Amino acid sequence: MTISPAAPATASGSWARCPGCAAIVYGPRLARTRRVCPECGHHHRLGAVERLRTLVDDGSFRAAVPQVRGGDPLGFADSLPYTERLARARGRTGLDDAVLYGTATVGGHRVVVAVMDFSFLGGSMGSAVGEAVTRACERALDERLPLVLAVASGGARMQEGGLSLMQMGKTAQAMRRLRRAGVFSVCVLTDPTFGGVTASFATLGDVLVAERGALVGFAGPRVIASATREELPRGFQSAEYLAGRGMLDRVEPRDGLRPLLARLLSATGATAAPGHPQEPPPGGPSAVIRDPGELSGGPAAQETVRLARDTRRPTALDYIWHLCSDFVELHGDRTYGDDPAIVGGTGLIDGTPVMLIGHQKGHDTAELVARNFGLAHPEGYRKALRLMGLADRLGLPVVTLVDTQGAAPGVGAEERGQSWAIAECLAGMSELSVPVVATVVGEGGSGGALALAVANRVLMLRHAVYSVISPESCSTILYGDPSHAPGLAASLRITAPELLRLGVVDGVVPEPRGGAQEDPAAAMDALKAAVLESLRELSGLSGDELREHRHERFRGLGVIEGG
């Protein structure tokens, strides 16, 4: 089965009422906008064939043969026999069941794709749907191809009873096998996605993307309102509502889905063997200073603190977009929220797919407040750990950018397990089987900084600082006020030369005179060269060697007396 891009989505001369704004829209106009209301932007539902046209390259889809066709295992009959309902749905949609699957390309990347059709018995999951999704997973696993699932479903299919329920376990198991094997998967959640489908394969992709305005949940809003007798929050169960609560990586308009998928496939290296940065020319100078003696004559410790905190310095996102030819930011911890103080996603550095994660501050008061001054909450560290796990499964090196005074304090952070989240980040980083390069680009404070810095290589910009505590807090604890901060800044040994001498960092990246803020482009070029050099040095090590290297690096830090 091949999908022609020319077929109209709405019959010529017809009219449609938009459920979003009640406008009457001319059919051909609606077809040209891929069934997105030109008046209010409401995304009308699409059938499986229409959905494929929005997701995959024109003419690239090849349906699996045969498609899966279910039967009537229970002999179910109500006002209309189940067999008759199936026959009518097949005649209306041209599909064997509520899923159409096969192979295609997206942005030139070959994928296995499975698309659900809500107009086939509400996209409900019976034996055929569960089998089709499982076969799609198995083909992706056998051919080591990324899997793209476009989901639209009301949930389980009642007419197949317990066998329908079992498809949740069957499909969840299939998705988990893909994850264990490091085969990349993306679930595109469309309107509506509910019930046993949401609670199984639909939310088990490596990346979850929802179409704008889609309703996604377990129980439907009317069921919840009836059961609780409470007024539901505004926008409840919408894609945007869920994204704000950390459940989704992205919410995209319909026209943005295919470009996003193509970028994700490229930036994860999902259809190519992992690459490594090219070797430097023989005898070329190192981008990293490893001898503390080369760093004499710098500013005093307290002045370095001032330079490190300067809001004109490049932020993590500034560095990321300079390092990468493309970067796809991913969001959410899948549990509570999306912390804007931590940013992360996949990117391409000189053609090498990499996972980048960093503390994000800002250049002005509005952004600093929005980002909580780079002070991350537990959900930020859980997002970081989730992205590190994804990098580990896909074989992507991890590059982190540290710039925070510390982890966010407060009642909410404590109630949500701040210490637990940081501890899991520290332990999780230590277990990664991919190269990890951490860069302290501004202020590295306490465990909130170290949570992104359990790395094989720890680099530090010349005018950054890295410490167990800020000089002001140290002064307050020791003397009751922050007035002794300048002297304590020197005593804490928080500058790059001191930390290189102590072995806390492995190398220092030069900065322009006056700090990175005086010549951001030069500073970002220097950091890129240092990161690429470190990735080259680590590229030949196996997963076990990288873990052992990380273990030995931190095992050797510290000074004790006696036996």
Side-chain angles (χ1 to χ4, degrees):
M1 179 179 186
T2 328
I3 302 302
S4 165
T10 304
S12 177
S14 66
W15 296 83
R17 179 185 294 275
C18 174
C21 65
I24 305 299
V25 185
Y26 187 47
R29 185 185 183 198
L30 193 59
R32 286 195 299 272
T33 61
R34 297 182 185 269
R35 297 184 60 78
V36 176
C37 176
E39 303 298 329
C40 72
H42 175 78
H43 286 48
H44 292 240
R45 292 172 182 171
L46 297 179
V49 173
E50 293 173 306
R51 177 64 63 186
L52 276 168
R53 291 193 195 101
T54 71
L55 294 181
V56 305
D57 298 338
D58 293 345
S60 68
F61 179 70
R62 299 292 181 270
V65 180
Q67 293 287 305
V68 184
R69 177 181 284 251
D72 181 13
L74 307 185
F76 191 94
D78 52 4
S79 59
L80 187 68
Y82 180 41
T83 52
E84 181 62 24
R85 291 186 187 277
L86 287 171
R88 291 186 182 186
R90 287 166 182 153
R92 184 172 58 253
T93 64
L95 302 177
D96 288 293
D97 213 288
V99 172
L100 175 62
Y101 85 101
T103 59
T105 61
V106 179
H109 301 276
R110 191 161 175 259
V111 300
V112 174
V113 60
V115 181
M116 300 189 73
D117 195 320
F118 188 76
S119 62
F120 194 110
L121 299 184
S124 53
M125 180 166 64
S127 300
V129 169
E131 181 65 19
V133 170
T134 300
R135 288 187 187 183
C137 291
E138 290 171 347
R139 182 160 185 180
L141 183 60
D142 290 343
E143 299 188 31
R144 304 293 300 182
L145 290 176
L147 175 68
V148 176
L149 294 173
V151 187
S153 175
R157 189 169 296 176
M158 296 177 294
Q159 293 89 342
E160 295 189 26
L163 291 176
S164 174
L165 181 65
M166 294 305 106
Q167 304 311 305
M168 292 175 63
K170 177 179 182 175
T171 55
Q173 184 173 264
M175 291 293 287
R176 188 59 68 175
R177 290 183 71 204
L178 283 184
R179 176 172 290 204
R180 281 201 311 270
V183 175
F184 185 55
S185 62
V186 183
C187 292
V188 179
L189 310 181
T190 74
D191 185 55
T193 299
F194 277 98
V197 167
T198 312
S200 58
F201 69 89
T203 50
L204 290 175
D206 290 316
V207 172
L208 301 184
V209 181
E211 190 171 71
R212 184 177 293 172
L215 291 181
V216 180
F218 184 62
R222 282 182 296 183
V223 173
I224 295 172
S226 175
T228 64
R229 300 186 183 277
E230 295 177 358
E231 184 177 349
L232 300 181
R234 184 176 178 84
F236 183 64
Q237 293 185 316
S238 69
E240 293 76 7
Y241 183 92
L242 293 174
R245 284 149 184 80
M247 304 298 179
L248 303 172
D249 286 286
R250 310 272 300 205
V251 176
E252 294 290 325
R254 185 163 290 164
D255 279 347
L257 288 172
R258 191 197 301 182
L260 175 67
L261 290 173
R263 292 171 61 209
L264 275 169
L265 292 168
S266 178
T268 56
T271 55
H276 298 296
Q278 294 182 354
E279 289 297 322
S286 173
V288 177
I289 297 171
R290 294 179 170 85
D291 180 1
E294 297 180 31
L295 297 169
S296 59
Q302 188 61 22
E303 172 62 11
T304 304
V305 172
R306 187 191 68 79
L307 293 174
R309 292 174 177 171
D310 194 322
T311 56
R312 295 177 300 142
R313 286 179 75 85
T315 66
L317 283 175
D318 293 332
Y319 282 112
I320 286 170
W321 279 109
H322 191 86
L323 288 168
C324 298
S325 57
D326 192 18
F327 171 67
V328 182
E329 187 173 353
L330 302 175
H331 297 271
D333 69 342
R334 295 284 200 272
T335 303
Y336 178 84
D338 179 47
D339 187 349
I342 296 280
V343 296
T346 58
L348 291 169
I349 304 180
D350 282 7
T352 300
V354 173
M355 183 68 74
L356 300 108
I357 303 167
H359 299 95
Q360 177 67 13
K361 288 185 176 178
H363 294 296
D364 55 40
T365 301
E367 187 181 4
L368 285 164
V369 170
R371 302 282 185 177
N372 199 36
F373 298 86
L375 305 173
H377 289 86
E379 51 271 24
Y381 293 112
R382 290 182 176 122
K383 173 171 67 174
L385 185 59
R386 180 176 74 82
L387 296 182
M388 291 175 200
L390 175 58
D392 202 36
R393 293 194 300 276
L394 299 180
L396 306 182
V398 173
V399 176
T400 66
L401 300 107
V402 175
D403 189 10
T404 183
Q405 217 174 79
V411 174
E414 293 298 321
E415 289 180 339
R416 296 195 297 277
Q418 185 70 288
S419 295
W420 283 258
I422 292 172
E424 289 295 335
C425 246
L426 298 174
M429 286 192 84
S430 73
E431 286 297 308
L432 296 178
S433 61
V434 294
V436 183
V437 177
T439 63
V440 183
V441 296
E443 196 173 8
S446 190
L450 183 61
L452 298 189
V454 182
N456 298 99
R457 289 282 188 278
V458 180
L459 307 178
M460 186 174 178
L461 291 187
R462 175 64 179 86
H463 299 309
V465 293
Y466 194 14
S467 176
V468 67
I469 192 171
S470 72
E472 294 83 1
S473 295
C474 183
S475 176
T476 300
I477 291 171
L478 293 179
Y479 297 101
D481 65 71
S483 63
H484 296 268
L488 289 172
S491 297
L492 285 166
R493 305 289 191 261
I494 62 178
T495 64
E498 297 281 8
L499 293 169
L500 183 60
R501 191 173 293 111
L502 291 170
V504 171
V505 300
D506 302 300
V508 176
V509 181
E511 287 191 50
R513 182 180 296 274
Q517 53 270 42
E518 299 301 328
D519 190 347
M524 292 188 287
D525 283 340
L527 185 72
K528 180 176 181 178
V531 167
L532 285 171
E533 182 177 308
S534 294
L535 290 176
R536 283 191 296 264
E537 292 169 347
L538 298 169
S539 64
L541 300 179
S542 69
D544 287 340
E545 289 171 329
L546 288 164
R547 280 190 290 265
E548 186 62 23
H549 176 275
R550 218 172 292 129
H551 171 80
E552 291 300 323
R553 185 193 181 282
F554 283 86
R555 180 68 179 83
L557 291 174
V559 176
I560 60 173
E561 294 183 0

